[in-house]
Amino acid sequence: MFELRSRRSRFGVQVLATIIVLPYLAALVAMVTGSFAGQGWGNYAKVFATGVVPTYFLNTVIVAASTIAIVYVCTMLAAFGFAKLRIRGKEVWFWLLLAALTMPEAVLLTPLFVTASTLDIYNELIAVILPLAALQVPFTILLARSFFEGIPTELMEAGRVDGAGIVRVFWHIVLPLTRPIGGAIVVLTLINSWNAFLIPLLMLNDPGKQVVTLLPSFFTSQYTNDQTGVLAAAVITAVPVIVAYLLLQRSFERGLAAGALK
């Protein structure tokens, strides 16, 4: 890790970090302040009075947990293969996978809608889970592959000498060493899947299957525009993921640093 030794350099970095953070902090403060305008806590009571908050949160937990499971399994297996196994043409496949990072989410909405309708999974949570997982996998593999490459190959060879197959080597030797990057992948996927908006908006039409990011739209329609309700719903939506990030912040930062430096 780099260390800033002079007081001037530390002060400069602190000023730069403050400048970067201020716009986001200002937006957050404005959202929280606006949510108390008018009726104060009554705005939050109004959100819970809709009766859909528990359902929306349950659906979001299902989507986030399923997405995390899929992304974690696919990332660990693919990163191990790309980093440690001899696979013909793996570099070509790796760069084709990275090409998916250049695809904007909005461009994929129409193909995803057609595919979901064809497979008869439209208006089902699986129609949200699979695209969200697919959009996360390229970046998480890129991050995890760097970490896997830093794991000594001698450890794998020692396991093979002792008679362990490649599956046992991966499960008992390699996977336990990937906890830092695994934690970062879990947190990153949780944030992105919890905050997903476009795909749930497109795929979920049944109110009983919608997610928390659609909760603010409950207070807007053709004839109404309750901004205090929108802001209160936005705060309620953001609180769980903010708390989760604060609790897992150290693991997240450690994993990202490990994946970048390995």
Side-chain angles (χ1 to χ4, degrees), residues 183-197:
I185 289 171
V186 168
V187 176
L188 185 66
T189 307
L190 170 63
I191 293 173
N192 290 331
S193 58
W194 189 277
N195 293 331
F197 177 75

Side-chain angles (χ1 to χ4, degrees), residues 34-94:
S35 68
F36 286 99
Q39 302 178 19
W41 288 104
N43 295 327
Y44 290 87
K46 179 171 53 180
V47 176
F48 285 100
T50 60
V52 301
V53 175
T55 301
Y56 281 24
F57 268 85
L58 177 61
N59 293 336
T60 307
V61 170
I62 294 173
V63 169
S66 302
T67 304
I68 290 171
I70 294 173
V71 170
Y72 182 83
V73 172
C74 292
T75 299
M76 293 295 112
L77 292 175
F80 176 68
F82 283 126
K84 294 300 183 182
L85 300 184
R86 295 179 180 178
I87 303 173
R88 181 178 298 178
K90 69 176 182 180
E91 290 300 323
V92 175
W93 293 111
F94 180 71

Side-chain angles (χ1 to χ4, degrees), residues 8 14 90 94 104 125 140 143 157 159 179 198 201 248:
R8 179 177 298 179
Q14 185 64 46
K90 69 176 182 180
F94 180 71
L125 293 181
T140 55
L143 194 64
E157 293 175 350
R179 290 179 181 175
L198 284 179
L201 180 65
L248 301 172

Side-chain angles (χ1 to χ4, degrees), residues 26-36 44 230-232 234-236 238 242:
L28 182 62
V29 171
M31 181 178 70
V32 175
T33 303
S35 68
F36 286 99
Y44 290 87
V230 169
L231 294 174
V235 172
I236 294 173
I242 292 175

